[in-house]
Amino acid sequence: MRVSVPNLPKSLLLNPLTKQVPVSKAIDSVTAFLAPGNVTLVTGAGVSVDSGIRAYRGRDGLYMNPNYKPIFYHELLDETEKGQSFRQRYWLRSYLGYPSVREALPNTTHYAIAALQHAGVIPRLITQNVDGLHHAALSMAHPSPVMVEKSLLELHGTLHRVRCKHGHLVDRTVFQDWLSSANPKWKDFADTGTELRTNPDGDVAIEHLGASYNDFVIPECPTCLQENRHNNVHKPDLVFFGESISEYVKNRSYLDIENSDRLLLIGTTLATYSAFRLLKHALALGKPVLMINVGPSRADVVEGVHKLDIASGDIMRDVVRNVLGHRGAIDSTVEKMLSSGIRRPPLTDDDGSAPRNADED
Ligand SMILES: [Zn+2]
């Protein structure tokens, strides 16, 4: 099976095509772009950096860990003993890493975007992130579940649900409890609060602890047991390397582009094809496209994309005030959103982040 990890072309990394823009100019550009409304937004890992979740790539566009070896879809679902070993390693690392993703808070960009969703400027949001932070920010407006379902599409799934190989879905918090009960020794270790490096997908490095994952117990799916079947093959409800996006999500993402008048991209390098093809679709339909991203991206050589090389956290609150101020659409919920959100200093150490959730195509 040929599975490739998406990468940006070398020539792009060596000769970045875009220069950083002044803050005030960037605010004006984004305000003018959003003002007509009916915008579809696509976000990536860069949006969650201010929440303390690592970006996959640094300023130079390279993976921060060049030796990163992701686990692939076929490995995770492999029925042999080898597969069992892959799953033990995966689930132990993920068990220890998940709490830091669960406890992460939306940042100022998440809330600024939520304000624009709440005010109807951005009726459709497609995110590549699996951290659930767009949901968390939007929940301040108390939208109905139906409205959230309509307005937010998780292109690569979510870390907050787990699915057994027969399709039984369980909340991740419940699954974590199952893992705790089955592995009291590891629960004790987790309870010591030892700091571990966490990747954006909630995976941590444990090898340096000298720990073995051979004794890690993966519990059986209780619903399968009720159906008289033993099964302990589970997978977080996200898209892995080597796995395809479902037809429903793919079609829905295209529809979101078609139903909008313009496309905004924030914090994504578009290295994964699932996101890049949305840009191509928008351009083919003649929709204006604006991109906000720090560092090089796959869109830099694409004609028709206006790119601003700037951190979204530096501009988005002001953009919302400008766009909604003109419309008289700043209500108490928007005010609250504009004064909410953390902004943590970026994590800059250099040995451990790379994408785990990405489809090939
Ligand atoms: Zn099951």
Side-chain angles (χ1 to χ4, degrees):
M1 179 186 288
R2 190 195 65 84
V3 179
S4 58
V5 175
N7 258 310
L8 293 175
K10 268 221 171 67
S11 58
L12 211 61
L13 303 178
L14 294 172
N15 306 297
L17 297 174
T18 52
K19 294 196 167 50
Q20 282 175 282
V21 284
V23 168
S24 61
K25 222 179 137 194
I27 291 170
D28 289 347
S29 295
V30 183
T31 300
F33 186 84
L34 288 172
N38 197 23
V39 177
T40 287
L41 169 63
V42 174
T43 64
V47 160
S48 290
V49 168
D50 288 345
S51 293
I53 293 178
R54 275 165 214 284
Y56 297 126
R57 291 157 200 278
R59 167 94 226 163
D60 57 4
L62 291 168
Y63 286 140
M64 290 186 189
N65 176 5
N67 302 317
Y68 183 73
K69 232 185 106 228
I71 188 168
F72 293 107
Y73 179 64
H74 65 277
E75 295 174 328
L76 196 67
L77 294 191
D78 181 349
E79 300 273 350
T80 66
E81 214 165 285
K82 205 169 146 206
Q84 170 69 9
S85 169
F86 275 128
R87 280 187 294 281
Q88 284 177 306
R89 178 171 179 271
Y90 176 81
W91 279 116
L92 170 55
R93 293 164 61 110
S94 189
Y95 169 68
L96 297 174
Y98 179 67
S100 75
V101 177
R102 183 184 56 207
E103 284 151 26
L105 296 169
N107 62 53
T108 55
T109 297
H110 290 116
Y111 278 109
I113 290 169
L116 293 167
Q117 291 178 278
H118 171 66
V121 177
I122 295 176
R124 288 164 292 272
L125 167 59
I126 303 169
T127 186
Q128 297 169 262
N129 300 340
V130 295
D131 53 36
L133 291 175
H134 285 301
H135 281 95
L138 188 60
S139 70
M140 188 176 271
H142 304 295
S144 71
V146 177
M147 188 242 161
V148 174
E149 174 60 30
K150 266 187 168 166
S151 61
L152 243 165
L153 181 67
E154 290 172 311
L155 198 58
H156 293 155
T158 175
L159 209 51
H160 301 298
R161 285 190 304 265
V162 176
R163 202 179 277 279
C164 90
K165 78 168 179 193
H166 292 288
H168 302 129
L169 208 56
V170 63
D171 187 88
R172 179 62 187 264
T173 310
V174 174
F175 190 75
Q176 287 286 115
D177 288 345
W178 294 352
L179 291 174
S180 292
S181 307
N183 299 278
K185 235 173 58 190
W186 282 108
K187 183 179 185 304
D188 289 346
F189 173 77
D191 287 347
T192 61
T194 306
E195 283 272 331
L196 295 164
R197 295 184 43 89
T198 308
N199 291 325
D201 53 4
D203 177 59
V204 294
I206 51 157
E207 279 72 7
H208 65 287
L209 300 172
S212 162
Y213 44 83
N214 295 333
D215 60 351
F216 194 67
V217 178
I218 306 169
E220 295 198 25
C221 168
T223 315
C224 280
L225 267 182
Q226 277 169 17
E227 294 171 2
N228 295 319
R229 190 171 44 212
H230 291 282
N231 167 37
N232 73 345
V233 178
H234 311 266
K235 180 177 143 328
D237 202 19
L238 48 84
V239 180
F240 276 64
F241 279 122
E243 184 180 4
S244 296
I245 288 185
S246 77
E247 281 303 302
Y248 166 77
V249 171
K250 196 195 261 186
N251 293 337
R252 160 81 185 271
S253 65
Y254 278 130
L255 269 179
D256 280 355
I257 298 293
E258 287 157 22
N259 289 331
S260 62
D261 293 326
R262 35 190 64 210
L263 173 64
L264 177 64
L265 306 151
I266 304 182
T268 172
T269 61
L270 297 180
T272 62
Y273 192 72
S274 57
F276 187 66
R277 68 181 160 207
L278 296 178
L279 165 65
K280 289 205 304 187
H281 194 51
L283 290 172
L285 294 169
K287 319 247 178 195
V289 178
L290 177 67
M291 170 176 234
I292 303 167
N293 189 56
V294 176
S297 88
R298 197 173 177 180
D300 295 357
V301 286
V302 178
E303 212 172 308
V305 180
H306 182 196
K307 158 106 177 274
L308 299 169
D309 194 321
I310 196 162
S312 58
D314 288 343
I315 59 170
M316 285 309 290
R317 273 184 173 174
D318 289 316
V319 165
V320 174
R321 288 208 177 279
N322 285 353
V323 173
L324 299 188
H326 290 308
R327 297 177 161 209
I330 295 193
D331 61 21
S332 60
T333 303
V334 169
E335 280 296 352
K336 207 171 149 204
M337 285 172 166
L338 290 179
S339 56
S340 299
I342 57 166
R343 222 184 153 190
R344 284 177 55 168
L347 299 162
T348 50
D349 49 354
D350 58 358
D351 70 332
S353 87
R356 176 63 57 90
N357 60 303
D359 59 313
E360 63 153 357
D361 213 287

